[in-house]
Amino acid sequence: MKNTLEEFKDYLHRMRQYDHVLTLLHWDLSTLAPEKGVEAHMNAINYFSTEQFRLSTAEEYGKMLRELSAPELFDSLDEAMQLTVKRGRRDYERFKRIPEEFYSSYTEVKARSERAWEKAKRASDFSVFAPHLEKVISMTKDFVRYMEPEADPYEVLLDMYEEGMDSKVIDRVFGELKEGLLPLLKKIGESPRPDLSALEGKYDIAAQKKVQSMLLEYIGFDKDAGAMAESEHPFTTELCIGDVRVTNHYKEEDPISAIFSAIHEGGHAIFGQGIDSVYQDTAVERVDMMGLHESQSRFYENILGRRRSFWVPIYRKLGELLPKVQEIPLDTFVRAINAVQPSMIRTEADEVTYCLHIILRYEMEKEIFRGDVSVDQLPGLWNDKMEELLGIRPRNDGEGILQDMHWSDGSFGYFPSYLLGSMYDGMFLEALEKEKGSVDAILEAGRIGGDHSLAA
Ligand code: ZN
């Protein structure tokens, strides 16, 4: 007969299969699914997430969690299993409080809202998205209230993405950042503008895809354990340790956007691919600190990708793929990818203004969850904050409030992770150089992937 731990592991493995199918379905909906198949895919998502919900709230699961939490058993578990039981118990208690009908309709509302957001973004028309957003906001509030009836909903959301983090700490660190960055940005604005004209022109999309592929390989993405696709917004999907996928979004007139998205998502993917397979089906496999995850992607993107030394081993190759680059000296290119200037789109922002894009979203989320701002007022509030923080005003909602996918699927509380991750990065760089020596020397030698050297 199996003991409780063995039964628990079997149960986790069963739950895991639902997660697997759901992740694939979501990936497919955001990348390849044709319009006429959407309805059927959404039905499938709804079916599998309801089944998954039943498994995660089942009495037998709760019983196993209680048994494994008893000190004599708990102390005998390894660390990964202890964490799995602890998280499992927390989530079990939370999910038990959610009515199944609510959970099921929340899932459906989010899936529909994501599709509406894609359409709204393409048409730059907030009115297409507004009714969906309104529902997602109100249901996200209910969802959190069911899980943690006593807590402040926004605090619960923050904690979901960055365990242990709260708005008190974020208010303080973001406040300090804002105070330092606004005068810095003003000073930069008063100095001579960098010349970005060298990069202007049209870049073949097929060639940009080859650049992405080259970059992913360069930084160490394992193509046998991943895949690439196109989507409205770049993202990474961790299906399992042996299959971590990235997407990208291409613009004909701007190759830099896709280049840095490729490096960013590649950073997420390498982190996912690097997780030891002994942690499969445990809580360790999924990192619950998105700030830490973002620190990996943003480390590749900014700390490595914006250095001259990063490009030295591959600049010739970049020129082969994008012939226009052959006319641009490396130093000009490096200056262009490091230009600081206020712009509309977060994912394309430089390191200075990026922080302000996040602060804007954080301030808005606090308004949404604690203030009494209506959905119709949100685009205007966004634009006002853009003016206040960055001195520019979006010409339309496509380059304003519609640019990010996060709110469409209820991922409120996620945005701060990007900035926390960027702040961790500075500390990682310092620690890395202490241990491994100059990052520039490592990069110039083509050793970004560790000790295997690059044949560029
Ligand atoms: Zn990211």
Side-chain angles (χ1 to χ4, degrees), residues 154-184:
Y154 192 55
E155 296 295 345
V156 178
L157 289 165
L158 288 174
D159 182 79
M160 267 164 60
Y161 295 111
E162 190 74 1
E163 209 181 341
M165 187 55 72
D166 61 32
S167 66
K168 232 166 93 189
V169 175
I170 298 179
D171 281 346
R172 181 170 58 77
V173 286
F174 284 13
E176 280 173 26
L177 258 180
K178 192 170 156 180
E179 217 172 280
L181 285 176
L182 288 178
L184 176 66

Side-chain angles (χ1 to χ4, degrees), residues 264-265 268 294 297-298 414 418:
H264 178 98
E265 301 306 333
H268 278 303
E294 292 300 342
S297 50
R298 292 191 54 77
Y414 188 106
Y418 293 108

